[in-house]
Amino acid sequence: MLDITKTAPVLFLSLATYFLSNRRLISLALLLSAAGDLAGEEGIFLAQIALFALAHIAYIIYFAKQSAINRKNSIAIAIWTLFVLLFGGWIVSHIDSTIIKVACSVYMLLIGTMAATTFTLRAEYKALYIVAAILFLFSDSCIAWNKFVEHFTGAGVAIMTTYFAAQGLFAWLAIKSCNK
């Protein structure tokens, strides 16, 4: 029997975003994330990472439609990119399987790009979108560290609280910005 304990909150956020806003890409990203949660609960890591990669593509498209690049956010993006590449490269160096290395590398580029696009937003709640993206990236960094580098005490709490906070914030911002 399927355990949907971790899937239900993000599925609920997807449905709430769908019905309470016109932000379909955010709703889709949340739905794909919920499906990724389910794949993770079932132990299907490659499906989990693929579904989350698709979720980040939906977030990227949504953010890119509201973005403008200028000198100030170009510097932030350059620093962010350097951080993601260095940290991501270091994590990948701890992975034995070639297919998992490739999947994680692609995923890290996508989540890094998703976070970077929040720096370019021309939106009222830009700072909160950045916070949500960083929370998401922190959550996934904890997953990667715990899975590939070293298990650490409190990993589950660190991962799930920052993940749910990120997804909840994305959903809330989509609903709030739509209902102004």
Side-chain angles (χ1 to χ4, degrees), residues 20-61:
L20 298 175
S21 79
N22 63 355
R23 309 297 192 239
R24 298 301 181 247
L25 283 169
I26 297 292
S27 181
L28 176 62
L30 291 163
L31 181 63
L32 289 164
S33 295
D37 290 335
L38 187 59
E41 285 302 301
E42 292 299 305
I44 312 168
F45 184 69
L46 285 176
Q48 179 184 23
I49 205 166
L51 288 161
F52 274 102
L54 292 171
H56 288 302
I57 291 169
Y59 280 129
I60 291 165
I61 293 167

Side-chain angles (χ1 to χ4, degrees), residues 132-155:
I134 289 171
L135 285 169
F136 208 139
L137 194 104
F138 180 81
S139 173
D140 282 0
S141 295
C142 288
I143 291 170
W145 186 281
N146 196 54
K147 184 173 184 68
F148 301 117
V149 179
E150 180 180 11
H151 292 286
F152 64 94
T153 304

Side-chain angles (χ1 to χ4, degrees), residues 61-114:
I61 293 167
Y62 177 78
F63 297 143
K65 288 181 177 185
Q66 306 173 61
S67 292
I69 297 178
N70 58 42
R71 182 178 167 91
K72 183 179 173 183
N73 60 32
S74 293
I75 294 167
I77 290 170
I79 292 167
W80 184 255
T81 301
L82 181 62
F83 167 76
V84 169
L85 289 174
L86 290 174
F87 183 74
W90 187 75
I91 291 289
V92 168
S93 74
H94 288 80
I95 302 172
D96 295 326
S97 164
T98 302
I99 193 160
I100 300 296
K101 271 187 187 199
V102 170
C104 286
S105 296
V106 169
Y107 180 77
M108 284 184 235
L109 289 173
L110 286 170
I111 193 170
T113 301
M114 180 278 296

Side-chain angles (χ1 to χ4, degrees), residues 16-24 27 171 174-176 178-179:
T17 304
Y18 182 84
F19 289 110
L20 298 175
S21 79
N22 63 355
R23 309 297 192 239
R24 298 301 181 247
S27 181
I175 293 166
K176 180 145 179 78
C178 189
N179 294 325

